[in-house]
Amino acid sequence: MRKQPRKVSPRYLENASLHYLKRYSATVGQLKRVLLRKVENSLRFHGGDRAEALGWVDALVEKLIRNGLVNDQAYAETKAHALRASGRSARAIAQKLRMKGVAEDVVADKLAQATAEVSEESAARIWARKKRLGPFRRDPLSRKTHRERDLAALARAGFSFSTAKKIIDGAPE
């Protein structure tokens, strides 16, 4: 038996959003999706005025932005730097930020900052080392037999062919 959803109210939405933000760092888009899902579940079960509930959500999100609890700029900067440091390509970072609902101009700005610190080639080297591709394979003799597979793995990670080729054919350091 499924637990019935709570009846939506401004107070309930505020508590739910604060609880969510305590656990996760979120963008405006993510928070709105979570709150709208709660509203839809509540309206489906209890009924009510959809327009009024959507107004509550918009007012709450604006209040949270004003108070600094939700900040797309800070989220995008933190996420871009963390992903870049872990060896993600510029394409992969941009895709992840877009999926989280970050505006295109913010994505471009934060991606440029992250790329200034860690270049695309350095990120590809980090990724290859983590995945043990090319020069980072445990068995150096199998390097030639797995070259195409390693190039494909870097391409799937979002790196260009020239970058992947340079890393896979290069020396470990």
Side-chain angles (χ1 to χ4, degrees), residues 17-18 20-21 24-32 35 60-75:
S17 65
L18 291 176
Y20 183 78
L21 291 172
Y24 307 106
S25 177
T27 64
V28 172
Q30 282 179 286
L31 183 62
K32 273 191 173 184
L35 294 177
L60 175 62
V61 169
E62 296 218 5
K63 177 183 173 185
L64 293 172
I65 291 171
R66 237 185 358 262
N67 292 335
L69 293 173
V70 180
N71 185 344
D72 282 1
Q73 294 272 343
Y75 177 87

Side-chain angles (χ1 to χ4, degrees), residues 12 135 166:
Y12 168 70
K166 190 182 296 183

Side-chain angles (χ1 to χ4, degrees), residues 8 27-28 43 68 90-91 93 98 105 114-115 119 121 123 142 160 168:
V8 72
T27 64
V28 172
L43 293 179
R91 290 180 192 153
I93 295 169
R98 279 190 218 108
D105 57 330
T115 303
S119 69
E121 190 175 322
S142 68
S160 69
I168 297 300

Side-chain angles (χ1 to χ4, degrees), residues 75-89:
Y75 177 87
E77 184 172 351
T78 303
K79 197 70 163 172
H81 286 286
L83 289 172
R84 191 53 142 180
S86 73
R88 298 297 169 92
S89 68

